[in-house]
Amino acid sequence: MTASQTATRQKAGSAVSPLAHLIAPEALDFQPQHLTAGTEWRRAYMVTAFPPSVDVGWLSRAANLPGVTLALHAVPQDAGEIVLALNRRIGAVAGQLAAGAGGGALTAQRLTQEAEDAQTLLRQIDAEQQGVYQTGVVLMLSAPTAEEGLRRAKRLEALLGAAGMRARPLVYRQEDGLRAAGPYGLWPDPLRGAHIWPSATVAAGWPFGTAGMNHGSGIVLGHDSDGGLVLLDRWQPPVDSGITNPNWTILAGSGAGKSHATKVMLLREWAQGAKVIVIDPEREYRQLCQAFGGAWVNAGGGAHRINPLQAPPLPADTDSEDDAAEHGLTALGQHLQRVRMVLGLYLPHLTPMQAAVLGRALRATYEQAGIGLDADPASIPNDRWPHVGHLYQVLQGQNDPDSQSLAALLEEAAQGADAPLWAGPSTPTPDSDLVVIDIHDLENAPDATQRAQYANLLGYAWDLVRRDRTERTLLVVDEAWLLVDPRNPEALSFLKRMAKRIRKYRGSLNVVTQNAVDFLAPEVAREGEPVLANASTKLLLRQEAKDLPTVSALFALSDSEQDKLANAQVGEGLLIAGNQRVWCQIATAPQESRLMYGSGR
């Protein structure tokens, strides 16, 4: 049919509604294997072969490809007639097999498979009392240009083939395909086949068959694209969920709603009894913390100080697999590794000789305080621990050039602008089940100072997590990109080790960041990629154009998922939890908004 013979056939003088003018294409041009609707290229397919067995949501991947509209037709059939037909066919096949069907082993194999399929369907109808349906699957593929349409067609055909299906273009039947693929409830007779499915197969085939996520327990995060609740349990997920650890990764572009989604998540986990610890560089969690009477720790040079040289006591139930005893290290020996990491971030340009001198000066600093490597940290009072000011004094007392240059580099931390952070004993921090460690006051400090204090506080938060293995604890590391330093990947290495070990303490590491590209730079990818990818649950909100290719490669996103993430609204995105993927809109109750922001949102 040419453009002058459009599908919209009108009698002369008949009226056309304004709605028809609005939604109808300017013209429909039907060709043997495609059609043109206005300026859009389209092709109608009919699926002619299906796999012998299917899983829930088995049509989802095809339906979610860009430009694909899927129509699943199902017409109820008389079960009695189907049973009689199946019995006749099973008998005929058995006779062919007994007589030695021509065609050799391949024909015999196909006949055997046909008999087994018929017996399975018979059992589903008879024993399970399932209904049966005459079915058909029609696909309409659309693209802005013919070139793009042919590219999408190859991808669709390959995907269907890999799934055990075969689809063919409706040659000289594109108009029938258009009718069958539309939301009209039409299934033209020429497209009706002999495929008979039980109701379970029909139900499993719907593209939204696995769109929802309901673990039966846990927290409600929001709604899926069909309006259903997204309910997931990080602590005790279903056995078949594919969730192997309670960690989360939350990735989003600036202004996409990642902090809001994190607040909703941690608020609901806290309400169900979990302890929550947040490292907050942007002062986004202060209102929430104060609303619930939590402990707000101003560690950016304010009222609180965490002395990086003070070693924590080992947990009472330390085991050799996890902690210092694994490598024969004492508690202080293990802690010295963390101190060197923090100082390495503060002084990123140390030469190997300066690093060696720094290590020797650290040991001397502890010795002057009367603390040996085998000391029990739990037995040492808070004010006896040395701090950066003491380390500075030790270096000043050395006469070699490396010690003197190190002293000059540490002067700012011991006596200057950074002294409130580290030059003094740790201040008591409140004990609470909601702790927000705030470093917002460092926003104008040099990058090295911010990274060093972030790593110091991350170590302190890790010590809080390890105190009690019986308590479920969420550790939220917001704006985690601040830890990325190609010259000193030890901080990311520390975060990676935490990600692997935190579940042994009934903990959950939640990494929140907007710069995924930073974690995958060649210099840090070995440490950075596992931090993002190893979490069993990932929440991907709207992505910036520069990040989308990286995120897509890391999480194997489909073209459809990429398109949706590039154009997502604030607070909506893709939730990947184990082997399930669902498009999720974060939902917040009015009272929750008042608690998080002090007013409605």
Side-chain angles (χ1 to χ4, degrees):
M1 180 178 289
T2 65
S4 62
Q5 297 171 300
T6 59
T8 305
R9 297 166 181 167
Q10 307 172 27
K11 294 182 179 179
S14 63
V16 179
S17 71
L19 179 61
H21 277 303
L22 182 65
I23 66 175
E26 297 176 358
L28 294 173
D29 182 10
F30 294 97
Q31 298 296 324
Q33 296 194 46
H34 74 272
L35 65 101
T36 303
T39 59
E40 190 174 64
W41 182 95
R42 297 184 183 182
R43 174 177 287 174
Y45 284 90
M46 186 77 184
V47 181
T48 58
F50 299 90
S53 60
V54 295
D55 295 321
V56 175
W58 58 282
L59 288 174
S60 297
R61 289 196 64 193
N64 288 328
L65 287 177
V68 171
T69 300
L70 184 146
L72 174 56
H73 295 271
V75 178
Q77 301 295 297
D78 186 291
E81 293 182 2
I82 298 298
V83 168
L84 290 175
L86 287 173
N87 281 325
R88 286 195 297 268
R89 184 56 187 162
I90 291 173
V93 170
Q96 288 180 273
L97 289 171
L106 180 59
T107 300
Q109 182 181 0
R110 289 175 176 171
L111 289 172
T112 301
Q113 182 64 54
E114 183 181 352
E116 291 175 355
D117 292 344
Q119 289 169 351
T120 299
L121 182 55
L122 193 61
R123 183 178 64 254
Q124 290 172 319
I125 297 172
D126 183 40
E128 301 175 15
Q129 296 295 302
Q130 291 192 33
V132 288
Y133 299 82
Q134 180 188 15
T135 56
V137 176
V138 179
L139 301 166
M140 180 61 72
L141 180 63
S142 304
T145 65
E147 181 181 3
E148 175 65 12
L150 293 174
R151 187 186 70 83
R152 292 183 178 183
K154 288 182 179 179
R155 175 171 181 146
L156 174 62
E157 292 167 10
L159 185 146
L160 292 172
M165 290 179 276
R166 183 169 65 251
R168 61 178 179 83
L170 291 169
V171 181
Y172 292 106
R173 292 288 182 186
Q174 290 293 304
E175 182 175 0
D176 288 334
L178 178 62
R179 294 175 185 274
Y184 324 117
L186 300 177
W187 193 11
D189 288 338
L191 303 188
R192 297 194 178 217
H195 296 290
I196 302 296
W197 295 351
S199 55
T201 302
V202 175
W206 290 105
F208 51 80
T210 58
M213 186 178 296
N214 188 339
H215 290 174
S217 60
I219 62 168
V220 173
L221 193 63
H223 301 282
D224 61 28
S225 54
D226 298 306
L229 291 179
V230 175
L231 173 65
L232 69 163
D233 190 339
R234 76 176 70 208
W235 307 108
Q236 293 181 319
V239 176
D240 60 351
S241 67
I243 297 176
T244 58
N245 62 61
N247 298 341
W248 279 45
T249 295
I250 301 178
L251 295 177
S254 179
K258 64 181 182 301
S259 293
H260 176 69
T262 305
K263 291 176 190 176
V264 171
M265 176 267 293
L266 66 85
L267 171 60
R268 293 171 184 173
E269 290 284 4
W270 177 85
Q272 294 198 11
K275 182 174 183 176
V276 175
I277 304 169
V278 183
I279 300 180
D280 180 14
E282 300 293 342
R283 195 160 290 168
E284 295 192 83
Y285 299 86
R286 182 178 182 179
Q287 169 66 36
L288 178 65
C289 180
Q290 294 178 340
F292 283 92
W296 182 67
V297 179
N298 185 358
H304 299 95
R305 181 191 304 112
I306 305 300
N307 177 14
L309 272 65
Q310 180 173 343
L314 289 177
D317 56 351
T318 294
D319 60 50
S320 61
E321 178 184 0
D322 288 337
D323 298 296
E326 179 182 5
H327 301 293
L329 293 174
T330 63
L332 183 57
Q334 184 188 37
H335 186 71
L336 274 170
Q337 296 177 340
R338 186 192 300 175
V339 176
R340 286 198 293 267
M341 175 189 72
V342 172
L343 293 177
L345 289 169
Y346 187 67
L347 306 173
H349 300 292
L350 293 182
T351 66
M353 180 57 70
Q354 287 175 323
V357 170
L358 180 61
R360 185 177 65 222
L362 278 171
R363 293 194 300 273
T365 302
Y366 283 103
E367 289 172 359
Q368 287 189 9
I371 301 175
L373 288 177
D374 58 350
D376 179 8
S379 66
I380 301 173
N382 188 56
D383 56 2
R384 269 196 58 198
W385 287 99
H387 51 72
V388 170
H390 296 124
L391 175 62
Y392 172 72
Q393 292 173 2
V394 168
L395 288 168
Q396 274 194 319
Q398 305 296 323
N399 294 323
D400 60 284
D402 286 320
S403 295
Q404 293 301 309
S405 65
L406 278 173
L409 293 172
L410 277 177
E411 183 174 358
E412 198 69 19
Q415 299 178 345
D418 296 335
L421 299 176
W422 306 309
S426 295
T427 56
T429 54
D431 188 16
S432 174
D433 57 4
L434 177 57
V435 180
V436 174
I437 305 172
D438 188 298
I439 57 173
H440 177 68
D441 290 340
L442 290 180
E443 64 176 341
N444 295 320
D447 289 347
T449 302
Q450 292 188 48
R451 288 194 179 103
Q453 180 65 337
Y454 202 126
N456 177 40
L457 298 176
L458 183 63
Y460 171 72
W462 175 235
D463 296 335
L464 295 180
V465 171
R466 296 193 303 161
R467 280 184 183 177
D468 187 356
R469 288 182 191 250
T470 67
E471 186 174 38
R472 292 179 304 176
T473 305
L474 265 71
L475 173 55
V476 178
V477 182
D478 201 358
E479 303 295 351
W481 60 270
L482 287 169
L483 286 172
V484 179
D485 183 358
R487 297 164 301 189
N488 196 336
E490 283 79 6
L492 275 183
S493 180
F494 181 53
L495 194 60
K496 182 180 76 171
R497 292 195 299 271
M498 287 176 56
K500 292 181 177 181
R501 295 171 53 191
I502 195 169
R503 63 180 179 83
K504 298 179 181 180
Y505 298 92
R506 295 198 72 193
S508 167
L509 179 65
N510 302 264
V511 174
V512 186
T513 188
Q514 61 179 322
N515 294 338
V517 174
D518 291 347
F519 287 81
L520 302 176
E523 300 87 350
V524 298
R526 182 178 177 182
E527 311 296 338
E529 181 176 345
V531 169
L532 300 182
N534 285 355
S536 283
T537 304
K538 298 99 174 174
L539 178 61
L540 311 179
L541 303 175
R542 188 183 67 234
Q543 299 295 312
E544 302 292 346
K546 64 181 179 62
D547 286 324
L548 190 55
T550 302
V551 172
S552 176
L554 185 60
F555 299 117
L557 302 182
S558 68
D559 288 351
S560 177
E561 290 167 342
Q562 293 180 56
D563 291 343
K564 294 176 77 172
L565 285 176
N567 299 286
Q569 299 298 312
V570 175
E572 67 178 20
L574 178 66
L575 179 66
I576 305 174
N579 52 29
Q580 282 189 287
R581 296 180 178 230
V582 59
W583 190 255
C584 179
Q585 172 68 56
I586 306 300
T588 314
Q591 60 270 30
E592 291 178 318
S593 291
R594 287 193 292 271
L595 290 169
M596 290 187 287
Y597 304 103
S599 61
R601 179 185 171 103

